[in-house]
Amino acid sequence: MKVRKVTAAASVLLALSLTATACGGDDKDDKGSGGGGKVTIGIKFDQPGLGQKTPDGKYEGFDVDVATYVAKKLGYKEGDIEWKEAKSADRETMLQRGDVDFIAATYSITPEREEKVDFAGPYLLAHQDVLIRSDDSSVKSPKDLNSKKLCSVTGSTSAQNVKEKLAPKAQLQNYGAYSQCLTGLQSKAIDALTTDDSILAGYAAQKNFQGKFKLGGFKMTNENYGIGVKKGSDLKKKINDALTEMVKDGSWEKAVKDNFGPANYKNEPAPKIGDIVK
């Protein structure tokens, strides 16, 4: 009787050991089958229209829609997604450490970044632009920003880029956040706000700002937004296939209209995979 008890206990322990081994074998780079697991995605939490965590704990925006579509094509349900905030300065580190499986966060593809991470896409071609008051007819080209009060966030190179290359007499105003720039623009404390047109459109599309601002449409730079993955990850091809399908079935165009439509954002057509506009 004692022998039978020991044998049964050993069997249970062996079964538990095998189960634990199987559960611990999940590799973050081997994604794409879903199967009840989780996928961790990095997005911005503070960019309306692109990536925003709402007060009620929901996530919305164009990048969120793109990432959710991709995750579903990889085999995950919406409830399987764990969203993590991916601040601009942290994105490469998050991917290298494996904190996230991929990042969709207004992540421009650049040669410097490609040395550290891989990119799927691009999935959106944005441009540096300016946002001005809807009743302001004085800014018709970048040179008209001379002597104007031009706002961007502290640490951004957008305003400096305008001053150095296009409007040397522009008066730079650095604020702590784009929302502060918008408040200043509304009160006429500043004349224009500059960053990527997609980000500007996201703000202008918000209900409390609709009809108050307009985009200049200047296309001062090309920003190829890609989805960042860990260097060498096989997710790159899988995500590219998902992005191709998103454009093909009309989901990409719907996401653009849903998130940027109220701002009258004249977006570029969906870029082809691997087509980087210099």
Side-chain angles (χ1 to χ4, degrees):
M1 199 67 182
K2 286 183 179 180
V3 174
R4 294 169 95 175
K5 284 185 177 180
V6 171
T7 303
S11 298
V12 172
L13 287 172
L14 178 60
L16 288 173
S17 175
L18 291 171
T19 302
T21 301
C23 292
D26 180 45
D27 184 349
K28 268 192 173 288
D29 284 341
D30 187 24
K31 294 284 182 177
S33 58
K38 295 287 185 180
V39 62
T40 306
I41 305 173
I43 58 170
K44 292 292 180 68
F45 278 14
D46 59 353
Q47 286 185 342
L50 286 151
Q52 184 180 31
K53 183 177 182 179
T54 64
D56 58 358
K58 295 181 180 179
Y59 301 90
E60 59 186 28
F62 180 72
D63 284 348
V64 174
D65 288 349
V66 170
T68 300
Y69 184 98
V70 168
K72 287 181 178 179
K73 287 297 179 180
L74 292 176
Y76 298 94
K77 298 177 182 177
E78 196 164 343
D80 297 330
I81 300 173
E82 179 186 354
W83 301 105
K84 278 196 175 182
E85 184 174 18
K87 296 181 179 179
S88 296
D90 300 334
R91 290 176 297 199
E92 285 85 39
T93 302
M94 291 177 72
L95 289 168
Q96 291 169 337
R97 285 194 313 225
D99 296 341
V100 292
D101 296 303
F102 62 86
I103 290 177
T106 59
Y107 204 179
S108 296
I109 302 171
T110 67
E112 295 76 18
R113 289 170 178 164
E114 287 183 305
E115 292 178 1
K116 301 176 182 178
V117 300
D118 285 340
F119 285 97
Y123 64 92
L124 183 72
L125 175 59
H127 307 281
Q128 186 183 341
D129 200 356
V130 297
L131 193 70
I132 55 180
R133 288 181 293 277
S134 57
D135 60 354
D136 186 350
S137 59
S138 66
V139 181
K140 297 177 181 177
S141 70
K143 68 178 182 179
D144 293 328
L145 294 169
N146 279 308
S147 301
K148 298 283 189 181
K149 294 178 181 177
L150 180 64
C151 186
S152 192
V153 297
T154 303
S156 169
T157 59
S158 298
Q160 193 63 41
N161 181 54
V162 172
K163 185 173 177 63
E164 290 178 356
K165 300 177 181 179
L166 301 167
K169 294 182 180 179
Q171 301 173 35
L172 300 188
Q173 307 284 321
N174 289 319
Y175 286 27
Y178 290 120
S179 57
Q180 295 174 351
C181 286
L182 283 164
T183 301
L185 186 58
Q186 193 170 5
S187 68
K188 299 186 178 181
I190 62 169
D191 301 305
L193 161 60
T194 184
T195 187
D196 295 357
D197 55 6
S198 58
I199 297 174
L200 297 174
Y203 278 106
Q206 299 306 290
K207 289 183 179 179
N208 55 323
F209 291 134
Q210 286 179 18
K212 296 179 180 179
F213 306 119
K214 63 183 178 182
L215 290 161
F218 298 154
K219 299 184 179 181
M220 294 181 278
T221 63
N222 295 317
E223 307 296 335
N224 301 271
Y225 289 176
I227 293 181
V229 298
K230 191 174 183 178
K231 199 77 174 172
S233 173
D234 63 355
L235 271 182
K236 178 178 177 178
K237 182 182 183 306
K238 295 175 183 178
I239 293 174
N240 278 336
D241 290 343
L243 292 174
T244 299
E245 184 63 26
M246 187 177 188
V247 174
K248 186 177 179 181
D249 69 15
S251 298
W252 185 90
E253 189 65 35
K254 181 179 184 302
V256 169
K257 291 180 179 178
D258 287 348
N259 292 289
F260 304 126
N264 295 316
Y265 176 44
K266 295 178 176 60
N267 63 283
E268 298 280 3
K272 294 181 179 179
I273 300 299
D275 187 7
I276 309 298
V277 180
K278 303 295 185 182

